[in-house]
């Protein structure tokens, strides 16, 4: 099993949810976050004053899925979410040793 963490622009959340559903990935966690990467935020003028905003709104989507679907899921996310502009996001993949469904006691892939 692998944990996939996808950090994206808020307007791309629906696309990522559809991709996960299409690959029959059950269960996801969504968090509203603030952050920046290479972009380092942006500068804007407001009433004649220059404002620096280096924390941008992002969405973090986390899901644990069988290892067999990770490559296809991440490929579809990249192809769908990519605009070629700064701030498109990142995907982080890490191994998961075990999963346990508390209600039933199921473990491993059965717990997903």
């Amino acid at each position: 099993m692998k944990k996939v963490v996808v950090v994206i622009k808020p307007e791309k959340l629906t696309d990522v949810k559809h991709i996960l559903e299409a690959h029959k990935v059950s269960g996801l966690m969504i968090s509203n976050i603030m952050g920046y990467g290479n972009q380092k935020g942006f500068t804007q003028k407001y009433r004649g004053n220059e404002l620096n905003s280096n924390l941008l709104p992002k969405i973090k989507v986390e899901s644990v899925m069988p290892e067999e679907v990770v490559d296809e899921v991440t490929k579809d996310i990249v192809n769908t979410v990519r605009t070629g502009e700064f701030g498109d996001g990142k995907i982080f993949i890490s191994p998961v040793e075990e999963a346990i469904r508390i209600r039933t006691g199921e473990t491993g892939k059965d717990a997903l």
Side-chain angles (χ1 to χ4, degrees), residues 61-74:
V61 179
E62 300 174 82
S63 185
V64 177
M65 59 190 74
E67 195 168 342
E68 306 85 61
V69 299
V70 171
D71 287 341
E72 206 160 314
V73 167
T74 55

Side-chain angles (χ1 to χ4, degrees), residues 23-78:
H23 289 282
K24 300 196 180 0
V25 173
S26 63
L28 62 116
M29 297 169 282
I30 299 172
S31 305
N32 286 307
I33 61 172
M34 301 286 285
Y36 68 86
N38 292 334
Q39 186 178 6
K40 304 287 191 255
F42 60 93
T43 303
Q44 62 182 354
K45 286 199 181 253
Y46 178 73
R47 296 187 178 189
N49 295 321
E50 199 169 273
L51 301 172
N52 291 319
S53 298
N54 64 347
L55 294 176
L56 303 172
K58 299 288 182 184
I59 298 287
K60 179 168 70 169
V61 179
E62 300 174 82
S63 185
V64 177
M65 59 190 74
E67 195 168 342
E68 306 85 61
V69 299
V70 171
D71 287 341
E72 206 160 314
V73 167
T74 55
K75 191 181 307 178
D76 286 352
I77 290 172
V78 168

Side-chain angles (χ1 to χ4, degrees), residues 8-17 80-83 88:
I8 53 170
K9 294 178 181 178
E11 60 268 19
K12 298 296 184 175
L13 176 59
T14 303
D15 294 335
V16 172
K17 285 173 53 179
T80 302
V81 172
R82 177 189 292 150
T83 66
D88 277 348

